[in-house]
Amino acid sequence: MSDSENTQPVTIAQVQNEAELFQALAIREVVFIEEQHVPEGIERDAEDAKAYHVLAIQGGHAVGTGRLAMLAEPPEGKAGRWAKIGRMAVLQSHRKARIGSKLLTTLEEEARRRGVTGIILHAQLFALEFYKKHGYEPVGGVFMEAGLEHLAMQKQF
């Protein structure tokens, strides 16, 4: 990726069709399966079929993705409608362009449109400060998910 392509504007858009969903899944495959060695069998799940997915587009190419899934019940001790943000991934060559922040903000805006009271997510430990900057607070202790250390985080609106 050339520097001129990295300076092009980034747009975040809802996945509209199967072809765009495949682009999102391809980004997740590169980031989670190839880079982080997440087992292929657990990277995709039943939530993919019903979640709200977004793509980050820069220079005509999909460079990031994330999803929002509604929870059937609020977390323990909480009330209202809650959602979970997950599968946030940005291609390595684009990680310094604040694309993750744009993806997260877009998913939060969709959650608000849906009347969500709060959001949970499972943050990889290296990403804790990123989520803290966006108002997420750690809940509980470190746990293993997909062979990687995570911490549950939540944000209430």
Side-chain angles (χ1 to χ4, degrees):
M1 177 82 23
S2 71
D3 287 341
S4 64
E5 287 184 59
N6 273 337
T7 59
Q8 292 184 4
V10 175
T11 57
I12 310 295
Q14 178 184 1
V15 167
Q16 298 287 338
N17 55 49
E18 191 174 42
E20 290 178 355
L21 180 59
F22 284 140
Q23 290 177 4
L25 295 173
I27 292 167
R28 288 170 32 188
E29 183 173 324
V30 168
V31 173
F32 297 127
I33 298 170
E34 294 176 16
E35 288 179 26
Q36 298 180 355
H37 308 291
V38 170
E40 188 172 355
I42 63 171
E43 199 289 311
R44 295 181 186 174
D45 62 19
E47 288 298 325
D48 281 329
K50 53 189 174 189
Y52 176 89
H53 297 266
V54 292
L55 276 176
I57 308 292
Q58 187 176 40
H61 302 284
V63 297
T65 189
R67 76 178 188 190
L68 178 76
M70 299 303 295
L71 297 179
E73 300 177 1
E76 189 173 332
K78 302 291 180 183
R81 296 186 71 196
W82 282 69
K84 181 177 181 180
I85 288 178
R87 302 308 199 269
M88 293 265 300
V90 177
L91 295 177
Q92 193 169 21
S93 57
H94 291 77
R95 290 191 186 142
K96 300 295 182 197
R98 298 192 42 80
I99 294 170
S101 292
K102 292 176 182 178
L103 287 164
L104 186 60
T105 300
T106 301
L107 292 168
E108 288 177 349
E109 288 168 357
E110 178 62 21
R112 282 189 179 96
R113 275 193 291 279
R114 294 177 181 215
V116 164
T117 307
I119 295 173
I120 65 165
L121 55 82
H122 293 171
Q124 292 180 20
L125 294 188
F126 77 86
L128 286 182
E129 291 307 313
F130 168 80
Y131 289 111
K132 284 180 180 178
K133 286 178 188 173
H134 288 276
Y136 289 82
E137 297 178 1
V139 180
V142 174
F143 61 94
M144 294 299 286
E145 185 173 79
L148 302 166
E149 290 184 321
H150 285 73
L151 192 62
M153 301 185 85
Q154 64 184 29
K155 178 178 183 176
Q156 287 188 256
F157 298 123

